Amino acid sequence: MQKTKPGQHQQTATAATKAPVPIIAMRKSCNPEGVGLSHYVLMDRKKTK
Amino acid sequence: MTAAVLTPVDIGHARYVALIDPGTAFWALVDKTQVADTLAGGPLLDAYREKAGDFSRELHALRFELKPSAVYVNPTERCNLDCTYCYLPGKMRRDGSHMPEDKLLAALDKLRRYFATVMPEGRRPRIIFHGSEPLLNRHAVFAAIEAFGDDFVFGLQTNGTLLDRSAIEFLTAREVSIGLSLDGPEAAITDSTRHTWSGRSVHARVLKAMDALRGYDAWSVITTCTTENLTHLTRMVELFHAREVPTCMLNTVRCTLPGARGVKPADPDMARAFIAALDRSHELYRETGRKLVVANFANILLAILAPSARRLMCDISPCGGGRAFFALAADGDLYPCSEFIGLPRFRGGNLFESDVEAMLRSDGFRLVTGRDVDTFPPCRDCTIRHFCGSPCPAEAHEMNGGMDRTGAFCGFYEEQVRYAFRLIADGIANDYLWDGWDDGTDTVFNYALR
């Protein structure tokens, strides 16, 4: 399991400039905090802390 | 070990096909020449089988085990606009009442006490002032923000027409997230769906508010996509990017009330215009290095890449209404979501008279929280049902005849998911997401690293 930390943002999946791979499969997970809806989007995920 | 069933889905990509387990929302993009071999068994299936139980539990927790952490508060029934597609009844918006300031303060005090019993330590609940037009009751709203600034994180969704300099100074000084609405790149297009009761244009006033917010990092603009503006979505993206809007939403019109259905675009038209606008947003990012995130699409990407990192809770089943958040109407009544205000069947009770937990268990709320895409056709057999969630229950109920029906834009969601997978296949998905979107996430599966 790899933790993504601030400043270590990774390009998801295979970058277009790299050689294509036969299989791409990934999933990330976190504690859910989503409360937005189609009438409003949260801009400040970090401010709930 | 859990049985894993992967279903091939054509995503319209030259090289890759998606293999999806609908039950866990697991996916893999596989070279078309290797699909048969991959499905026959091997390292990918072995790796997935090890994780399938974890993914199933994660999805179940996200769908059924959340506690509310936000309330959409309507501090007034009234609105100074009469938009074609509004989901709130016209009589309420024209002749309705404000929630008095003392009532609003009492409501937030009760909510503060409720959230103290359900929120994890160190995390504040959210109050989003919502509409009708909340700034028509500005004094009460600002008094509430002042009184409860340490207890809640605040947001405000406004039509922008009353957002003057002093309001912006008050709100930005308190880090209130601000959402505006604009439907066209020019007044004639905006005016076709958004205008005052007397039919006057508000386009210029919204642009003025946008200019005043430039440089603030917590604001967004919603465009409601209808037959009236669909051919102008690319220009909307250009306008938003030029005005340094950090985030926008290009939402399909919600067809809960009949007025909205008259401007509902067809799914293929919606998909074509939406994807063209996304393509344009990406061109602008590559040209300037500055992103304009289209949040409703970003949420579909997140549903695929990191289901629990979703920010919008419409595109999941059950939706967030009545479980991740609920709505407080100006008369104190509770509803699962603002979309249901005006539909008495979904009323859970009154905040000033009833216990919040009891209202969350009410029949009206259970109608919404019990809507499960795994249980009704055609969704239960759809491969992407846990990427889209079959929104919206209000539309399903009011437009299509029941909670066991699809929402209004099934085909559009299918196209969005295909497009999202193509971006992942091309390695450019992050270009469409907020910088740092995955900070604090765990990578729980990465086949390329094996």
Side-chain angles (χ1 to χ4, degrees), chain B residues 6 11 13 56 72 77 97 141 163 183 199-200 214 280 312 330 333 354 429-430 434:
Chain B
L6 298 180
I11 60 170
H13 193 271
S56 179
Y72 287 82
E77 294 176 331
S97 303
V141 168
L163 201 58
D183 280 4
R200 294 177 64 181
R214 193 180 292 202
R280 182 63 182 138
L312 303 177
D333 285 350
S354 306
N430 281 339
W434 295 272

Side-chain angles (χ1 to χ4, degrees), chain B residues 213-216 219 239-247 290 292:
Chain B
L213 284 168
R214 193 180 292 202
Y216 186 50
W219 69 292
L239 180 149
F240 289 156
H241 190 269
R243 289 175 185 260
E244 299 178 16
V245 176
T247 304
R290 180 165 49 81
L292 166 69

Side-chain angles (χ1 to χ4, degrees), chain A residues 12-34:
Chain A
T12 300
T14 313
T17 52
K18 294 179 184 174
V21 295
I23 297 177
I24 302 166
M26 63 84 64
R27 180 158 166 147
K28 297 187 179 214
S29 181
C30 63
N31 289 325
E33 293 182 13

Side-chain angles (χ1 to χ4, degrees), chain B residues 51-116:
Chain B
K51 291 284 189 176
D54 292 345
F55 295 166
S56 179
R57 282 187 288 277
E58 178 193 35
L59 201 59
H60 187 274
L62 185 64
R63 298 179 61 214
F64 299 109
E65 297 171 12
L66 298 183
K67 286 285 190 180
S69 58
V71 183
Y72 287 82
V73 175
N74 284 25
T76 180
E77 294 176 331
R78 277 184 238 160
C79 190
N80 56 339
L81 303 191
D82 180 28
C83 303
T84 306
Y85 47 70
C86 188
Y87 53 90
L88 295 169
K91 181 170 173 49
M92 177 186 285
R93 287 182 285 116
R94 188 175 51 241
D95 305 323
S97 303
H98 291 338
M99 182 182 281
E101 181 179 322
D102 63 332
K103 283 281 198 183
L104 183 58
L105 294 173
L108 264 58
D109 186 55
K110 181 161 183 178
L111 292 171
R112 180 180 58 80
R113 283 183 277 122
Y114 162 70
F115 280 119

Side-chain angles (χ1 to χ4, degrees), chain B residues 149-165:
Chain B
D150 293 335
D151 301 298
F152 297 106
V153 177
F154 284 103
L156 172 78
Q157 184 66 37
T158 170
N159 62 36
T161 60
L162 303 173
L163 201 58
D164 59 23
R165 176 65 63 182

Side-chain angles (χ1 to χ4, degrees), chain B residues 219-284:
Chain B
W219 69 292
S220 59
V221 187
I222 294 173
T223 294
T224 299
C225 301
T226 67
T227 52
E228 307 306 294
N229 64 3
L230 205 61
T231 57
H232 305 282
L233 292 191
T234 298
R235 289 174 64 203
M236 286 307 298
V237 162
E238 290 169 351
L239 180 149
F240 289 156
H241 190 269
R243 289 175 185 260
E244 299 178 16
V245 176
T247 304
C248 72
M249 290 205 280
L250 306 176
N251 287 332
T252 52
V253 62
R254 281 273 181 255
C255 297
T256 304
L257 294 188
R261 296 169 209 160
V263 291
K264 177 190 179 300
D267 282 54
D269 298 340
M270 180 69 211
R272 198 177 307 113
F274 186 79
I275 288 173
L278 290 172
D279 286 343
R280 182 63 182 138
S281 78
H282 191 245
E283 286 175 2
L284 291 167

Side-chain angles (χ1 to χ4, degrees), chain A residues 1-7 9-16 20-49, chain B residues 16 24-25 27-29 31 58 69 72 87 122-124 126 130 153 155 157 177 222 247 251 305-306 308 310-311 313-314 325 339 426-427 430 438 440-447 449:
Chain A
M1 189 180 291
Q2 298 177 321
K3 192 87 167 176
T4 305
K5 298 173 182 172
H9 191 60
Q10 299 172 338
Q11 183 73 6
T12 300
T14 313
V21 295
I23 297 177
I24 302 166
M26 63 84 64
R27 180 158 166 147
K28 297 187 179 214
S29 181
C30 63
N31 289 325
E33 293 182 13
V35 292
L37 44 66
S38 60
H39 311 304
Y40 179 79
V41 58
L42 301 174
M43 292 296 301
D44 54 352
R45 187 183 174 95
K46 293 172 186 168
K47 287 180 187 170
T48 60
K49 303 294 182 189
Chain B
Y16 293 102
T24 62
W27 57 270
L29 299 179
D31 189 297
E58 178 193 35
S69 58
Y72 287 82
Y87 53 90
R123 191 177 157 210
R124 282 187 291 165
R126 292 178 182 270
H130 210 259
V153 177
Q157 184 66 37
S177 290
I222 294 173
T247 304
N251 287 332
L305 297 169
S308 48
R310 283 172 164 89
R311 295 192 186 187
M313 294 298 282
C314 294
F325 55 78
E339 200 74 31
D426 291 337
N430 281 339
D438 57 353
T441 62
D442 296 319
T443 299
V444 292
F445 196 93
N446 192 341
Y447 191 77
L449 292 183

